[in-house]
Amino acid sequence: MKKQRVIVFLPAHNEEEAIGEVIRRIPRHFHPDVEVSVLVIDDGSTDRTAEAAQEAGADYICRWLENRGLGAAVRRGLEECVRLGADIGVMIDADNEYPPEQIPDLLAPIFAGEADYTIGSRFLGTIRGMKWHRRLGNYLFTWLQSLLLGQRLYDGQSGMRAFSRQAMEEAEIIHDYNYAQVLTLNLVRKGFRLKEVPIRYQVRTTGRSFIKFTAYMTAVIPAIWKEMRRPVKKAVIDREAHVLSSERTRHCS
């Protein structure tokens, strides 16, 4: 069986203080049948984000001269993963809030044939330092996604996710400001199996978030409405595409 090629991609905007540590902590050799590379989407940074990423060992860097938005950066990351031949793509924020060491946990349901799309759930795991208004906003938007999909979700805004190749090929992000809600709505409506994985989360200690509450509300709610109104075609999914040989043996025993 050929190795599964995993590309971990990091959307980044002015994250020179944190991105190097995130990249160095990404597990590269956690399974003999898995090959890991790192891709950075530098979304118009004005600091040394790209240089810090390269020094830390990033394999690929896509650099934009102007800031296009997080949704656009994630869309490009998924496209680049497919173009570079990834079997699975993993997205993780570059701000050091999410645990790179848990990337194998995020991949496990895909390798076991149990999911096509996974989300690292802070609310099923542990959270340190999240302010009450952000926690409330997460609860409200996650409740809305759960209601629209008829499926219980715990963390609809997580910045740590993994995608099968088919999920990457089919994913549509219909606006540039953000991606979190519309991406999940799009993939689940198309029939991709979602599983949440508990993770450890700690609020950033460097840099600053560029997400503002008013802008988030005025941009994301109309995008959710637009996504739910547009028709989507159910995908024909190969549910065994990424099952590792060790998992096949375990399933047969």
Side-chain angles (χ1 to χ4, degrees):
M1 179 181 178
K2 77 177 185 70
K3 286 191 175 185
Q4 290 282 310
R5 186 171 191 210
V6 173
I7 296 183
V8 180
F9 71 94
L10 296 79
H13 178 67
N14 290 344
E15 295 289 0
E16 67 171 324
E17 295 180 74
I19 194 168
E21 182 180 349
V22 177
I23 291 172
R24 284 187 288 269
R25 288 168 57 196
I26 292 172
R28 297 275 195 149
H29 308 289
F30 61 89
H31 194 287
D33 293 333
V34 178
E35 173 187 295
V36 179
S37 301
V38 176
L39 161 69
V40 172
I41 307 297
D42 182 359
D43 185 17
S45 296
T46 55
D47 63 1
R48 294 187 68 257
T49 291
E51 291 79 3
Q54 186 171 32
E55 292 164 4
D59 300 281
Y60 309 99
I61 297 176
C62 174
R63 192 170 190 179
W64 288 339
L65 296 180
E66 59 183 31
N67 180 250
R68 302 185 188 182
L70 182 55
V74 174
R75 187 189 306 119
R76 181 60 180 272
L78 294 170
E79 292 169 351
E80 286 296 300
C81 284
V82 171
R83 186 184 70 82
L84 292 167
D87 296 295
I88 297 174
V90 176
M91 189 206 80
I92 186 169
D93 282 354
D95 55 16
N96 210 20
E97 291 188 336
Y98 294 85
E101 295 83 3
Q102 287 195 258
I103 286 174
D105 298 332
L106 202 65
L107 292 168
I110 299 177
F111 287 147
E114 298 168 355
D116 315 293
Y117 171 42
T118 59
I119 295 178
S121 176
R122 298 164 292 182
F123 295 100
L124 286 177
T126 58
I127 299 177
R128 293 180 59 189
M130 182 181 287
K131 294 181 179 179
W132 71 267
H133 64 279
R134 286 193 63 191
R135 188 181 290 259
L136 179 60
N138 273 280
Y139 284 144
L140 290 174
F141 273 109
T142 299
W143 172 82
L144 178 58
Q145 289 178 79
S146 299
L147 183 66
L148 292 172
L149 292 173
Q151 176 178 334
R152 178 67 186 273
L153 301 178
Y154 292 87
D155 192 353
Q157 284 67 244
S158 173
M160 187 174 179
R161 306 176 183 223
F163 310 80
S164 70
R165 183 174 179 89
Q166 273 190 284
M168 291 191 289
E169 292 171 338
E170 293 281 350
E172 296 176 279
I173 300 172
I174 60 173
H175 68 137
D176 289 345
Y177 180 76
N178 202 274
Y179 69 94
Q181 293 79 20
V182 294
L183 179 55
T184 296
L185 293 172
N186 182 260
L187 287 176
V188 174
R189 289 172 70 213
K190 288 178 176 176
F192 290 97
R193 297 165 299 163
L194 166 63
K195 186 168 184 177
E196 292 183 87
V197 176
I199 60 167
R200 303 177 302 274
Y201 173 83
Q202 181 173 337
V203 170
R204 65 161 69 227
T205 56
T206 62
R208 64 186 179 90
S209 173
F210 290 86
I211 301 296
K212 304 300 181 185
F213 179 77
T214 302
Y216 197 89
M217 294 292 286
T218 56
V220 173
I221 289 180
I224 291 173
W225 174 251
K226 181 179 178 181
E227 171 62 36
M228 293 303 295
R229 284 176 56 87
R230 57 198 291 266
V232 297
K233 184 179 179 180
K234 289 285 186 179
V236 179
I237 301 168
D238 181 355
R239 303 191 185 281
E240 299 290 311
H242 306 297
V243 177
L244 296 178
S245 55
S246 57
E247 291 294 334
R248 293 183 194 275
T249 302
R250 183 172 64 85
H251 288 168
C252 292
S253 59

